[in-house]
Amino acid sequence: MQTSEPKVALPVLSDNFGRRVSYLRVSLTDRCNLRCVYCMPEAGVPYEAAEDLLTLDEIMRVVTILSSHGLTKVRLTGGEPLVRGRDVIELVKRISRIESITDLGLTTNAVLLAPIAAELYRQDYEESISAWIRFAGKGLPRCQNGQV
Ligand code: SF4
């Protein structure tokens, strides 16, 4: 008779004080299309080489593994995450399919949002997922480090 393997509960992530870690911020890039004085010096900052950024598959690997250890909330940030173009739409689509991720946010300065907003929003419903998209702030879109 064949016996099935017992199900092993994966350990939930926690910090040194025993607090559960369920929230992951993923910086998609260190680049930004704005130069807010409190964030980006006029002379610019040295950027990471493009090949050093995590690929979509690498990001998905991290999110997927962590989702098995209690991750429920993911926020995509930057720099300005939308400078990664269609990568963002693909990521939203893929992360939205992970059942245990119930809160998916995007922090953006919104400069590049208009052309892709409808497509991002649609991912919510067409993929029949439990996640939702939240753009930071209700009035002015908030960027990672303050308001623009
Ligand atoms: S504060 Fe936000 S929008 Fe402004 S330069 Fe920094 S990342 Fe870009």
Side-chain angles (χ1 to χ4, degrees):
M1 190 172 88
Q2 214 175 12
T3 55
S4 58
E5 291 288 324
K7 282 197 173 166
V8 178
L10 294 173
V12 168
L13 287 175
S14 60
D15 66 13
N16 288 342
F17 297 96
R19 294 172 297 196
R20 183 179 166 183
V21 178
S22 58
Y23 176 30
L24 177 71
R25 291 175 68 109
V26 183
S27 173
L28 300 184
T29 178
D30 54 351
R31 291 164 198 256
C32 185
N33 48 354
L34 293 182
R35 290 288 175 272
C36 302
V37 289
Y38 48 83
C39 175
M40 292 273 185
E42 228 172 283
V45 291
Y47 290 126
E48 295 294 329
E51 62 267 23
D52 290 338
L53 298 180
L54 291 179
T55 65
L56 290 194
D57 288 341
E58 288 167 338
I59 293 170
M60 282 311 299
R61 183 149 190 255
V62 172
V63 172
T64 303
I65 291 171
L66 293 181
S67 71
S68 303
H69 294 270
L71 182 72
T72 59
K73 179 177 177 179
V74 176
R75 177 167 290 274
L76 304 176
T77 71
E80 167 50 42
L82 296 186
V83 300
R84 280 198 58 165
R86 297 199 61 81
D87 275 6
V88 178
I89 296 172
E90 184 60 27
L91 260 184
V92 166
K93 191 175 181 175
R94 290 205 218 169
I95 294 173
S96 296
R97 287 177 180 156
I98 301 176
E99 207 175 327
S100 57
I101 304 295
T102 54
D103 186 336
L104 173 57
L106 173 71
T107 302
T108 175
N109 62 31
V111 170
L112 301 171
L113 183 58
I116 62 169
E119 200 172 351
L120 277 174
Y121 183 72
R122 266 203 313 272
Q123 300 302 335
D124 238 1
Y125 301 100
E126 290 184 353
E127 299 301 327
S128 307
I129 43 80
S130 54
W132 50 284
I133 311 296
R134 181 178 60 218
F135 298 108
K138 284 191 171 172
L140 278 176
R142 248 181 309 164
C143 61
Q144 181 188 13
N145 301 315
Q147 285 207 324
V148 290

